[in-house]
Amino acid sequence: MALANYAQNISVLDQGTYKPASVLDEGAGRIDVCKAANASAVGNSSISFGRVSLNTLYKRVFTVQNLAVTTLSIALDAKAWYIADGTLYNVASMNTSSLILSSGATGKVELSLDTSGTLPEGYFEGRINARFGDASIRIPLFFCVISQLNVDAVDEGGSKLVAAYVLIDAHTGEAPASLIEDFSARFIMFHGTYVVQAMDLYVLNPPLLDARISFIIHKKFSIGIGETVNLRLSLASANKLEVRTTDVQGYPRYVVNKQLLTPYWSTGYLSD
């Protein structure tokens, strides 16, 4: 713990201007072995709330231990900011602003994270500072306001299928994320409108671009800031191909690869 508590910020070059690296870049920071070896107090190495929901109160308990031979009077403060631009947000508070610890004693402090205010979408970091005399320790904080999609694919009877999943931006056609062959997928994303696609496709005889398809099923959806959406893609909602066809004009082209304008094999399912 002491190595993290006594670490220092690292300066990085960002678009030509030096600024402190975020906790995502540096972790606790650059360690100071001398300070850590002579620590008078230690606390948690870090506190992460992970992905949080808006309008919710979160609580964590952290500890500070006095390693000195004398009593320490410790002043506490906490702050958090948006990593993208450094804007401070008044979301972190504690149930006390000070501790008085005798030699060897440990104090417990409750940290609250209140997301009821207006928060932008993205990643946040912060610090708990514990100051005593001319020294101090710090405990890094982290949380994020981000959206999540949980998706799986099932056959006509409702049994789960192994599939490759692709997340596609419905406006740009870009595919920011994908997962190869699993029974389900989880995507972390910013809010917006997307198409999620599950498929089992095998390209035959490349570069002739002929393909055998078991299924390509997709669904368009919208997701809000910090929202969690659960989707199930079912073959029951897809069209079953009965004959080999080169007529794919009726099928959506965000699927697979825009260059794969193939004849499709005789058996399989395609979303309408």
Side-chain angles (χ1 to χ4, degrees), residues 44-124:
N44 293 50
S45 57
S46 65
I47 298 175
S48 175
F49 290 90
R51 176 175 172 260
V52 300
S53 300
L54 296 177
N55 302 309
T56 305
L57 179 64
Y58 297 88
K59 294 182 183 289
R60 296 284 191 276
V61 174
F62 67 92
T63 61
V64 178
Q65 182 181 10
N66 179 7
L67 301 181
V69 296
T70 59
T71 296
L72 289 182
S73 179
I74 301 173
L76 300 168
D77 67 80
K79 59 182 179 179
W81 58 89
Y82 188 47
I83 290 178
D85 60 14
T87 300
L88 287 168
Y89 286 86
N90 186 26
V91 294
S93 62
M94 294 173 288
N95 64 340
T96 183
S97 60
S98 63
L99 290 171
I100 298 177
L101 299 177
S102 60
S103 178
T106 298
K108 292 184 178 181
V109 181
E110 184 178 80
L111 172 70
S112 297
L113 181 72
D114 187 353
T115 63
S116 60
T118 301
L119 293 177
E121 186 174 39
Y123 299 91
F124 295 77

Side-chain angles (χ1 to χ4, degrees), residues 152-183:
D152 60 13
V154 296
D155 63 20
E156 291 173 309
S159 298
K160 282 193 174 185
L161 298 167
V162 173
Y165 294 88
V166 182
L167 182 69
I168 302 156
D169 188 304
H171 298 296
T172 67
E174 300 288 334
S178 62
L179 179 69
I180 298 176
E181 294 190 347
D182 209 334
F183 283 103

Side-chain angles (χ1 to χ4, degrees), residues 121 147 171 190-194 221-224:
E121 186 174 39
S147 305
H171 298 296
F190 291 110
H191 78 284
T193 302
Y194 297 86
F221 69 99
S222 294
I223 191 167

